[in-house]
Amino acid sequence: QVQLVESGGGSVQAGGSLRLSCAESGLTYRTYRMGWFRQAPGKEREGVAAISSAGHTSYTDSVKGRFTISQDNAKNTLFLQMNSLKPEDTAMYYCAAKDGGYPWVPPPLRTADFGYWGQGTQVTVSS
C-alpha cells in the first residue's frame, strides 16, 4: 500500500521561502512519477511540479524560476523548495505519486495521471 505524508507547510510573508517534504512508502515499480499539486478554496486542484524516476521535471508556468522539485531516492523523500512566495501561492499542497509509466520525458501535471495522494499541508502567504 502506497503512503504519502507531507510536511513543511506554514505561514510566511510574501517573498519568503518554504520547503515541503513528502515521505513515500510502498511504490514498487522501478519507474514512477511523483508530483506536487495545490488547491485553493473554491478552485480546482492544479499541478505545480512533477518529477519522474529518471529525473525529468515539469512545472506549471506560474512557479517556474521560483519553485524547485527534487527527490532523495535513498530516503524515499520528495521535496518542493518554494522561493519568492506570493499570496496567490496560498493553498493546500498535496503530494502525489504513480507507479510505473514512461520516465524519460517530463511528467504530466494532470490529476488523472496520478493515483496516490497524501493528506495535504497548508501553505499561507500573506502580503
Side-chain angles (χ1 to χ4, degrees), residues 32-91:
Y32 59 85
R33 66 173 71 109
M34 295 190 72
W36 291 98
F37 288 72
R38 66 187 179 188
Q39 188 167 18
K43 294 188 176 181
E44 292 188 354
R45 190 170 297 190
E46 66 167 345
V48 176
I51 188 167
S52 73
S53 49
H56 292 279
T57 59
S58 55
Y59 296 90
T60 192
D61 286 346
S62 63
V63 308
K64 287 179 181 177
R66 300 188 298 122
F67 292 11
T68 303
I69 190 170
S70 62
Q71 57 189 352
D72 183 335
N73 291 330
K75 296 182 179 180
N76 292 348
T77 304
L78 180 73
F79 301 101
L80 184 68
Q81 178 66 43
M82 305 186 295
N83 298 329
S84 302
L85 282 161
K86 304 176 180 180
E88 51 263 44
D89 295 317
T90 295

Side-chain angles (χ1 to χ4, degrees), residues 102-122:
Y102 187 76
W104 291 282
V105 295
L109 288 174
R110 297 183 298 263
T111 56
D113 290 303
F114 291 81
Y116 303 105
W117 296 87
Q119 293 299 307
T121 185
Q122 178 68 37

Side-chain angles (χ1 to χ4, degrees), residues 1-5 22-27 34 76 95 97 116-118:
Q1 183 176 358
V2 175
Q3 290 191 324
L4 304 172
V5 180
C22 173
E24 171 276 315
S25 63
L27 289 176
M34 295 190 72
N76 292 348
C95 177
Y116 303 105
W117 296 87

